[in-house]
Amino acid sequence: MLKVALVVGTRPEAIKMAPIAIAIKKNRKMKPLLILTAQHRSMCDDVLDVFSLKPDYDLDIMKPRQSLFEVTARLARKLEPVLAGERPDIVLVQGDTTSTFMGSLCSYYLRIPVGHVEAGLRTYRKYSPFPEEINRKLTSAATDLHFAPTRVAKAALLKEGVRRDRVFVVGNPVIDALLHVAGKDYPFRNKDLASIDFNRTRVVAVTAHRRESWGRPFVSMMQALKQIGARHEDVLVVFPVHPNPNVRKPVERILGSARGVLLVDPLDYREFVKLLKSCCLIITDSGGIQEEAPSLKKPVLLMREVTERPEAVEAGAVKLVGTDTGKIVDACTKLLDSRQAYNKMIVRKNPYGDGKTSEKIVDIILKRLDSIERA
Ligand code: UD1
Ligand code: UDP
């Protein structure tokens, strides 16, 4: 039996690793060891509940207002005894968070092979996204099996000198997760959401949290949302607000009593997917939502200057609008007013996969683990 550890820290890691943990459980030759760092507390717990997963270890590292330094130090201290004691055959990490990077670094220190899910995403801008661009590069350096979502991501890794026989294009497991919940209908638990008549109200779904936008760009984004809510009678901006106080404070200050804007707490994954399915368009700076939206046939306006996910932009499903108030409002108004502009952003095929990524990853681990050198 191969022991496959999965290190999970934040909401997007939990969503994208859940289908892989389920696929490992189903395989007779391997078993999962779920190590929850709980860099995010409530948001990770919500996701694990949705997928009926229980962590084998819960490192419980989240503290309110935690700094990058504190998270990094706590991860090193708490991951070492678990990884050293369990000595898994491979450690899987996902994406670009501090848990991802430290999961890979601590495994490397212990000479345990590392598999990186969603490998090879790059903007080549050191501070955008911050600190994710560098987390990704450092994780790649410690990785043995690179699970790239697309050919673009594979090409980036090869350009950096990663061995060709160690990179596998498998899609993104977020699509597996999405298909797991999208087919079923769940009621909104939030009363305000449950009372929306989606036939009469055009809902603009919003999320925002990126560190590189904090301060002026973030205020500019919030001003745009305020104008969008106020400008159209039949439009409601629905914004599940990330619990990070650096995000929550300016959101509440600028949008707390804004007309046509509904602020809610983070939604569990089923409810959030329901919101995405019911909305008319999405305005976000999230990574994962750029990947999910094409499957749900919803246009995305991306409030970032650059993206490490160029595939959806090239396909036409995501438009990069930056953080300038006027540009965001103009792009949104165009989509709300022009059926033609809207339809142009609905794509047939999702560039991030077909929902079979987890099975492919399990298969590759079984076939390729023996080829990894350990010393
Ligand atoms: C983290 C990741 C980021 C990822 C994002 C996804 C790092 C450095 N950042 O950013 O890459 O895109 O998650 O959401 O790894 N909090 C709660 N409850 C929760 C989660 C967070 O209260 O369930 C609050 C806490 O006050 C916590 C703060 O949010 O201290 C910040 O959490 P942290 O994980 O450090 O950063 P994020 O901005 O969430
Ligand atoms: N999401 C969720 N509830 C919410 C907002 C987002 O379940 O209230 C999901 C969303 O569908 C996507 C993921 O969380 O799969 C994105 O997480 P986040 O924006 O925190 O991180 P990023 O993708 O930017 O790394």
Side-chain angles (χ1 to χ4, degrees), residues 328-348:
I328 299 168
V329 174
D330 286 351
C332 181
T333 306
K334 191 169 170 201
L335 286 182
L336 289 170
D337 288 351
S338 158
R339 198 19 79 187
Q340 201 190 5
Y342 186 94
N343 287 343
K344 258 175 82 179
M345 291 189 72
I346 308 303
V347 295
R348 265 191 313 121

Side-chain angles (χ1 to χ4, degrees), residues 217-234:
F218 202 81
V219 170
S220 167
M221 286 154 59
M222 296 307 110
Q223 297 291 2
L225 300 172
K226 191 172 180 177
Q227 288 186 27
I228 291 165
R231 191 180 270 202
H232 308 267
E233 274 295 316
D234 65 334

Side-chain angles (χ1 to χ4, degrees), residues 6 16-25 92 117 173 357-358 361-362:
L6 302 99
K16 290 167 173 177
M17 289 290 233
I20 302 176
I22 292 170
I24 294 170
K25 258 190 188 174
L92 296 183
V117 178
T357 297
S358 310
I361 290 174
V362 163

